[in-house]
Amino acid sequence: MFRHKKWLLLGSAVCFAVVLVSVLFGGSVDRSKPSAGEGNPVDHTPPSASDAEKQLKVAVSMPPKEFQLLQQLKEQYQKAHPGIVIQLENVPDDTVYAKLKKAAQLGEAPDVMLLDNSWVSEFAALGYLLPVDSMLAQDLQSQQMEQALAQVKWNGYVWGVPKDLDAPVLVYHTKRLADAGTEKPPATSEELVSLHKQLHKPEEGKYGIYIPASDGHLFATMVRILGGGKTASKQYPVKLNDPAVLKSLEAFLLTAPDGAKEDAKALLKSFPYESATWKPWELLAQGKIAGYLTTFSDWKQNGSPAVQTMAKIPLPKGEETWLTPWLSGRSFAISARSEAAKESFELIRDWISQPSALHFWRTAGVLPAQRNAYMTGIRDDVGFSNIAALIDNNEPTPAFPQRVKQLTALETQLELLWRGEQPLRTFAERTEAEWETIRPASK
């Protein structure tokens, strides 16, 4: 009798152990990840003892000074967080978009990616990112500048944590301004065109105002400068095909005499197409370029106050600074395939903190996307005073996944324009025709 009871008790113990193991090791516990593209909360459960060491892969695209600082911040973070190992990669600017998108398609994306804000909604729509709403505490989200946060919101969720903002600027060679009989940069678009025509002498190897040929965002900025309010568009980067806007562009870009027949080769004759030997900052320092449309961060890293003057963006006479999407920016995003979402977010939180943001500002001239960082030093910077109005008057345009395709279409048509393979009016017509086929659905 006792022998039977003994076996009965032993059987019960075995059954209990099986049930216990099943519960502890996932038999009935749902450990599935949230679906990419949906707003499901991320599992914030701390890693178990077996996951004591976490490998975090991070991919960015940064200039040397900025990347060097990020490496220092990485080392500091690892020392303060034993068990976290960060693999940091700096991808060349001209390949980073294609490389990260391909990696995401293959399910091999880094845990953390530093993305241009215009890419974020596309990556999110394709299911490559985790939403970060559940990680962004209300106080942390309220610290983000509205202009930056709007660029990473899509479909009701936030898909990136803003790191920085950037603004367009015009930089001039001081002596070339003096050659034109002025010490002050142009205050209006009309004055800008006049200065350009006066100093633009390509036959002598001297140029007026240079626009980066391959940068769609900066080209759209120049169109806004010349065309003013006529260029405003909710669905396109900028409105191109307006007769008055085209006339302004012709007056600026083409050196042919007034009334001359438009020539597809005129722009190629006016400006050499970008090449390995065409280095704007060197040419500006030498006085071969009178002015250069670039970004604030680019000027901060490459500018030489001895020979250059950075000025406010001009607009057509009679127009005050108007609401338009002036700003660009970058944000940290977390891969939908990441197995360390919590650790990734904690790393991001450290790298966008006020101390880190001020380090990036002092080292690389990068404008923070956090409003509290401006209270210390930045708002009193002389250069910043020239773009403060652009930040205040930046229109926080809602993000949409088609934005990248629109910019790609613009840059493709721009290349044909700058190479002299199509005239300006054909460029404008083809670009807007392409935009029409990929514009966001109206609500």
Side-chain angles (χ1 to χ4, degrees):
M1 180 177 177
F2 290 101
R3 183 179 303 170
H4 291 301
K5 284 185 179 181
K6 187 181 207 178
W7 285 107
L8 184 60
L9 289 172
L10 180 61
S12 299
V14 170
C15 291
F16 176 77
V18 170
V19 172
L20 181 61
V21 169
S22 175
V23 171
L24 287 177
F25 292 93
S28 61
V29 178
D30 181 12
R31 296 184 181 273
S32 61
K33 287 173 31 178
S35 301
E38 298 178 3
N40 297 340
V42 176
D43 182 11
H44 287 230
T45 305
S48 63
S50 60
D51 296 325
E53 185 176 280
K54 282 286 185 180
Q55 299 276 344
L56 296 183
K57 293 184 178 180
V58 180
V60 301
S61 182
M62 292 179 171
K65 290 181 183 178
E66 188 179 12
F67 185 67
Q68 185 177 9
L69 173 59
L70 188 67
Q71 288 177 309
Q72 294 173 7
L73 294 178
K74 173 197 118 173
E75 296 298 329
Q76 293 173 11
Y77 190 86
Q78 288 183 152
K79 288 180 181 178
H81 297 81
I84 298 293
V85 178
I86 303 168
Q87 297 179 20
L88 190 57
E89 180 183 10
N90 195 22
V91 186
D93 184 62
D94 58 348
T95 62
V96 62
Y97 170 76
K99 180 171 182 175
L100 292 181
K101 188 173 181 180
K102 184 66 174 178
Q105 288 172 341
L106 297 175
E108 300 171 354
D111 298 281
V112 177
M113 297 173 280
L114 183 62
L115 302 178
D116 187 288
N117 286 349
S118 63
W119 308 344
V120 170
S121 57
E122 183 196 36
F123 275 55
L126 292 171
Y128 299 157
L129 303 180
L130 288 177
V132 296
D133 303 67
S134 60
M135 293 180 258
L136 276 171
Q138 190 60 40
D139 62 327
L140 184 60
Q141 187 165 331
S142 66
Q143 293 172 15
Q144 309 301 310
M145 293 179 67
E146 181 185 356
Q147 298 94 323
L149 206 56
Q151 295 180 12
V152 294
K153 284 183 177 179
W154 175 74
N155 203 27
Y157 303 105
V158 179
W159 299 94
V161 184
K163 174 188 176 292
D164 52 51
L165 289 170
D166 217 343
V169 297
L170 275 162
V171 187
Y172 301 92
H173 188 277
T174 307
K175 188 176 182 303
R176 290 293 300 279
L177 286 180
D179 291 343
T182 180
E183 295 180 357
K184 295 182 178 180
T188 66
S189 303
E190 291 81 3
E191 290 179 8
L192 181 70
V193 173
S194 177
L195 178 72
H196 173 68
K197 286 187 172 183
Q198 183 180 353
L199 298 178
H200 193 62
K201 301 175 182 179
E203 67 281 0
E204 299 178 12
K206 294 183 178 180
Y207 304 92
I209 311 300
Y210 176 66
I211 315 168
S214 59
D215 193 311
H217 188 82
L218 286 176
F219 182 84
T221 296
M222 180 56 79
V223 175
R224 295 186 195 113
I225 290 171
L226 299 175
K230 295 184 181 68
T231 67
S233 175
K234 293 289 186 183
Q235 296 178 314
Y236 304 152
V238 69
K239 190 174 181 180
L240 282 172
N241 211 11
D242 179 275
V245 173
L246 282 175
K247 186 175 181 180
S248 298
L249 276 174
E250 286 174 346
F252 179 80
L253 293 176
L254 305 180
T255 56
D258 292 342
K261 184 178 180 181
E262 185 182 0
D263 178 8
K265 301 293 183 182
L267 185 57
L268 187 60
K269 296 172 185 175
S270 178
F271 273 112
Y273 184 73
E274 287 178 352
S275 66
T277 59
W278 181 261
K279 299 179 180 179
W281 284 109
E282 290 184 14
L283 295 170
L284 183 65
Q286 296 165 8
K288 293 181 179 180
I289 291 177
Y292 180 30
L293 178 64
T294 183
T295 62
F296 183 81
S297 63
D298 192 29
W299 171 71
K300 273 288 189 179
Q301 294 192 52
N302 297 287
S304 171
V307 296
Q308 295 154 19
T309 301
M310 195 271 278
K312 297 178 181 179
I313 291 291
L315 285 174
K317 188 176 181 180
E319 289 197 28
E320 299 295 330
T321 302
W322 45 280
L323 286 173
T324 191
W326 293 112
L327 302 180
S328 57
R330 298 176 298 175
S331 296
F332 286 113
I334 300 176
S335 168
R337 294 293 188 93
S338 175
E339 297 291 343
K342 178 180 181 296
E343 291 80 7
S344 295
F345 180 75
E346 291 303 322
L347 175 64
I348 293 171
R349 178 196 287 270
D350 184 79
W351 285 354
I352 66 155
S353 66
Q354 182 172 339
S356 295
L358 290 175
H359 277 311
F360 281 117
W361 161 254
R362 296 181 187 120
T363 302
V366 178
L367 290 167
Q370 295 74 37
R371 61 169 53 92
N372 56 358
Y374 287 83
M375 304 305 291
T376 309
I378 299 179
R379 64 179 181 179
D380 298 322
D381 181 81
V382 176
F384 174 73
S385 66
N386 284 320
I387 62 166
L390 289 188
I391 294 177
D392 291 339
N393 290 280
N394 182 77
E395 183 178 28
T397 307
F400 53 85
Q402 297 89 343
R403 178 69 75 184
V404 178
K405 290 183 179 179
Q406 289 184 348
L407 287 172
T408 301
L410 171 60
E411 290 172 357
T412 299
Q413 294 299 326
L414 264 178
E415 182 174 357
L416 297 176
L417 174 68
W418 284 93
R419 289 187 182 278
E421 296 178 20
Q422 64 180 353
L424 181 62
R425 291 181 183 275
T426 303
F427 154 76
E429 291 168 0
R430 287 179 177 175
T431 302
E432 287 213 357
E434 285 200 48
W435 284 348
E436 182 65 23
T437 65
I438 53 180
R439 68 176 181 175
S442 56
K443 295 181 179 180

